[in-house]
Amino acid sequence: MTVILTLEIMEMKTFDAIWINATLVTCADGYGLIKEAAIAVKDGRIAWLGKMSELESSAMQLAEKVYDVESRCMTPGLIDCHTHLIYAGNRALEFESRLKGKSYVEIAKEGGGIQSTVKATREASTEELFLQSYPRAKACLLNGTTTLEIKSGYGLNLETEKKMLLVAKRLEEELPLTIKRTFLGAHTIPIEYKQDKDAYVDQVCNEMIPEMAKINLADAVDVFCESIAFNYEQTERIFQTAKQFGLDVKCHAEQLSYLGAAKLASTCHALSVDHLEYLSLDDIKTLKENNTVAVLLPGAFYFLKETKKPPIAELINARVPIALATDCNPGTSPILSLPLIMNMACILFGLTAEQALLGVTKHAAKALGLEKTHGTLEENKVADFVIWNVKHPVEISYYMGYGSLINGVIKNAEVVIPVSSRGEDRGTQ
Ligand code: NIG
Ligand code: FE
């Protein structure tokens, strides 16, 4: 992307900035390609887009800044709608144990897995947690993510759950990212409640959710409904409480076994149901009826060497919107790149590159309740976009390990990558 002109003329221009000679991938209807196109922004929003030939006058007359994209593809900023990006420590040694033959469930039952990250996260100060999480959030941005969801869930007590979501809030203040915060106090049962799981659910419903709502720290509530976490009845109770407090719900559903959680969450008007490897075909019509997004997480599928795939063809046939996310977490998906996840979704789950791109744009926006403002290139939407060093969008899913394919990232109409002015560099690991 080359800035070809910055005029400082007193007269008011129609647009703050315009990108010309672009291949726009609007994602509004399939790829929604517009070649030889331009996109203009005003006050942080997309003010105009279309064929260059349809511009009313020259780009230089219309906008304060003109950028030449030189035929590159421009997509909406990518949206990562399911992450556990804030945590302390890592689980590399657990990875080694799994390579030697132990299963994820065995490790969890022995008190490792999520519990070991809970211990490290409880022990970390807010500052340490921020400093460990910041490079991950920055890596997301460098991979083209402009909006992401971050869950709590490695605290399992009010103090640490709050600490995690406060760190999420600070990441949003310090990086050009939109961050949705999800309370996942029901990620697993903390060891101090092992003998009385319902007492922990009482804690989640009577203290944690009311407090999160009161201080406005969470947008949604998630539950890991699974044999090693919360059962159907406990999940239902937590969802009902979330609804009473005006919070959206989402669910880790049918990841390792079938418990009926996706149908339950969908009936509670969940924004999304996530994982779904063991989803029953009978439950797909409920998802469709309730307009629930199915979030697939091929990174966790790959990293756990899962062999049972979600019922993808049936979801597509039923026209359930499919989103994709990194599920970034230390145990099952230490991944930050949505383009890599798109490639995995194509190879492992048989999505087309077009479906994969919609999964990290239009449908991911819907999974976060942001479909009116984000996820596509359309007039009045927030001006978040990525300029790719590619001529056709299929290349974003196609290349692996080429380094970044990104030429530029624009967040709220500002060019944030490449950083033009002297920038901080705390994010380099
Ligand atoms: O989405 N399924 C539950 N939660 C995470 C894993 C968390 C962990 O192992 O730390 C997931 O895969
Ligand atoms: Fe997850």
Side-chain angles (χ1 to χ4, degrees):
M1 168 179 51
T2 334
V3 192
I4 56 174
L5 201 75
T6 306
L7 287 179
E8 284 180 35
I9 297 176
M10 293 311 285
E11 75 188 76
M12 274 291 282
K13 300 276 176 129
T14 312
F15 306 127
D16 296 334
I18 189 164
W19 284 258
I20 59 168
N21 294 321
T23 302
L24 293 182
V25 187
T26 65
C27 296
D29 183 16
Y31 279 137
L33 279 180
I34 312 177
K35 293 188 175 165
E36 289 157 26
I39 182 164
V41 299
K42 178 88 184 159
D43 299 330
R45 298 270 171 162
I46 297 171
W48 185 88
L49 77 170
K51 286 265 183 206
M52 297 259 293
S53 56
E54 288 162 17
L55 272 174
E56 277 179 9
S57 42
S58 81
M60 286 174 221
Q61 281 169 326
L62 287 168
E64 300 279 343
K65 287 184 185 168
V66 181
Y67 299 93
D68 188 348
V69 184
E70 296 157 344
S71 302
R72 292 182 177 91
C73 283
M74 289 178 79
T75 66
L78 305 187
I79 299 176
D80 196 347
C81 64
H82 179 142
T83 86
H84 310 249
L85 179 134
I86 294 171
Y87 58 84
N90 68 53
R91 306 238 289 278
L93 295 179
E94 174 184 315
F95 174 53
E96 188 82 297
S97 297
R98 285 204 296 109
L99 293 172
K100 287 181 181 160
K102 270 207 179 147
S103 76
Y104 181 68
V105 172
E106 277 166 354
I107 292 167
K109 285 191 173 153
E110 287 167 7
I114 297 177
Q115 298 289 1
S116 68
T117 303
V118 169
K119 186 167 182 292
T121 306
R122 284 180 178 178
E123 284 167 3
S125 69
T126 312
E127 186 65 15
E128 281 163 357
L129 196 56
F130 174 78
L131 290 175
Q132 289 191 39
S133 305
Y134 182 94
R136 289 192 283 269
K138 187 157 179 186
C140 292
L141 181 66
L142 293 170
N143 280 295
T145 299
T146 52
T147 296
L148 76 157
E149 183 253 21
I150 300 181
K151 302 174 196 294
S152 64
Y154 292 122
L156 311 183
N157 61 34
L158 184 57
E159 184 197 343
T160 317
E161 291 289 306
K162 270 163 87 169
K163 179 170 76 181
M164 291 183 72
L165 293 182
L166 284 168
V167 168
K169 207 168 174 186
R170 186 163 158 210
L171 288 175
E172 189 178 39
E173 284 157 13
E174 299 216 8
L175 284 165
L177 289 167
T178 297
I179 297 182
K180 284 286 210 176
R181 300 184 296 268
T182 300
F183 170 64
L184 179 58
H187 197 185
T188 193
I189 316 280
I191 6 185
E192 58 274 22
Y193 281 91
K194 267 278 172 287
Q195 302 315 320
D196 192 357
K197 297 180 179 174
D198 282 325
Y200 182 62
V201 180
D202 288 344
Q203 175 83 12
V204 167
C205 293
N206 300 339
E207 290 185 36
M208 297 193 195
I209 292 177
E211 175 70 3
M212 291 292 167
K214 187 171 142 210
I215 59 176
N216 215 1
L217 205 49
D219 305 295
V221 171
D222 193 345
V223 179
F224 185 21
C225 184
E226 191 57 64
S227 58
I228 53 168
F230 296 85
N231 66 26
Y232 185 98
E233 288 71 27
Q234 292 164 336
T235 304
E236 187 172 33
R237 196 178 145 207
I238 296 167
F239 284 162
Q240 281 165 357
T241 309
K243 290 270 165 199
Q244 275 165 20
F245 283 90
L247 297 170
D248 285 321
V249 300
K250 31 207 313 128
C251 191
H252 281 72
E254 343 290 16
Q255 179 185 10
L256 309 168
S257 60
Y258 175 77
L259 292 186
K263 185 171 179 180
L264 167 67
S266 176
T267 311
C268 295
H269 299 286
L271 285 171
S272 71
V273 289
D274 303 28
H275 284 289
L276 306 179
E277 278 79 350
Y278 290 81
L279 179 67
S280 142
L281 297 184
D282 291 342
D283 294 349
I284 292 178
K285 62 175 179 319
T286 310
L287 268 54
K288 179 63 194 161
E289 278 160 18
N290 293 312
N291 205 11
T292 314
V293 179
V295 177
L296 305 184
L297 305 165
F301 176 93
Y302 163 81
F303 202 73
L304 290 174
K305 295 204 257 182
E306 178 62 67
T307 49
K308 182 150 170 53
K309 294 181 191 179
I312 293 150
E314 290 81 357
L315 286 165
I316 291 171
N317 280 344
R319 298 182 166 274
V320 172
I322 293 178
L324 301 171
T326 61
D327 195 13
C328 166
N329 77 73
T332 67
S333 192
I335 300 172
L336 296 162
S337 160
L338 279 174
L340 176 60
I341 290 295
M342 291 160 73
N343 176 277
M344 287 184 182
C346 295
I347 301 297
L348 300 174
F349 288 172
L351 264 62
T352 63
E354 184 178 50
Q355 288 164 339
L357 183 63
L358 295 183
V360 297
T361 54
K362 185 181 186 177
H363 298 159
K366 184 168 165 56
L368 295 180
L370 293 174
E371 66 272 32
K372 292 207 170 75
T373 48
H374 295 75
T376 60
L377 300 180
E378 289 176 284
E379 278 176 23
N380 291 323
K381 285 212 170 174
V382 172
D384 289 356
F385 26 87
V386 180
I387 303 168
W388 301 88
N389 287 321
V390 305
K391 293 277 154 51
H392 191 281
V394 72
E395 294 174 61
I396 304 167
S397 291
Y398 166 70
Y399 290 116
M400 294 173 79
Y402 268 61
S404 180
L405 294 173
I406 287 172
N407 177 263
V409 177
I410 289 86
K411 175 73 194 161
N412 291 329
E414 297 292 331
V415 178
V416 294
I417 292 175
V419 181
S420 48
S421 56
R422 184 178 55 87
E424 43 69 47
D425 207 11
R426 180 171 26 185
T428 47
Q429 290 202 72

